[in-house]
Amino acid sequence: MHKQYFACHIVRKIIYNFPQKIVFVLLDLKPAFFIIAATNDRGVNQEIAANASETQLVNCVSKAEQGSVYMPKIIRKGRIQVSVSTSGASPAHTKRLAENIEPLMTDDLAEEVDRLFEKRRRP
């Protein structure tokens, strides 16, 4: 809960909307465990990512290779879970791939996986 508070605090505090300008305070990054650099200014996103410490997890939406974490698309049905990612290269392709995979996860398949799960749990 404490780390979540910091994340919310940072998001509110980093972004100040002035006419044509976004400003953030580097010290605001210090307490964060996980940083998502997702402003409407690619330069600001990259500066945020560049100023994070090696111990912080960073997702930089405008330049994925500058971050240390990618956000995969996760598809769930019952106990089935599939994660799709393009390693930050193309969120649009990730979404399209997930949309193509999701119909393969039918109700019958989910029920079969649930039965197998229960069967494997028996001694």
Side-chain angles (χ1 to χ4, degrees):
M1 184 74 167
H2 192 258
K3 287 179 183 172
Q4 288 176 342
Y5 166 77
F6 274 127
C8 292
H9 174 70
I10 288 165
V11 168
R12 280 196 307 271
K13 203 167 179 191
I14 287 176
I15 302 167
Y16 300 95
N17 290 312
F18 295 105
Q20 306 294 322
K21 190 97 171 148
I22 296 177
V23 177
F24 73 98
V25 181
L26 290 177
L27 292 176
D28 291 338
L29 298 175
K30 273 193 169 192
F33 173 73
F34 183 43
I35 299 165
I36 300 174
T39 71
N40 61 352
D41 184 319
R42 296 169 78 76
V44 169
N45 294 342
Q46 292 172 18
E47 190 174 348
I48 290 169
N51 283 285
S53 76
E54 290 182 14
T55 61
Q56 292 172 308
L57 300 176
V58 179
N59 176 266
C60 182
V61 299
S62 53
K63 193 169 184 183
E65 62 273 12
Q66 205 169 358
S68 57
V69 175
Y70 300 119
M71 299 294 208
K73 169 72 174 152
I74 299 173
I75 312 161
R76 292 183 177 95
K77 183 138 194 147
R79 295 189 189 281
I80 301 170
Q81 181 170 299
V82 176
S83 176
V84 181
S85 174
T86 57
S87 299
S90 173
H93 282 86
T94 297
K95 182 180 178 185
R96 194 171 317 132
L97 283 166
E99 288 170 350
N100 289 328
I101 292 169
E102 196 164 16
L104 301 173
M105 299 166 54
T106 64
D107 290 336
D108 289 342
L109 180 60
E111 289 172 13
E112 180 181 350
V113 169
D114 283 343
R115 282 192 300 276
L116 290 169
F117 176 80
E118 293 302 326
K119 186 176 182 179
R120 291 189 77 182
R121 293 185 75 201
R122 292 186 205 140

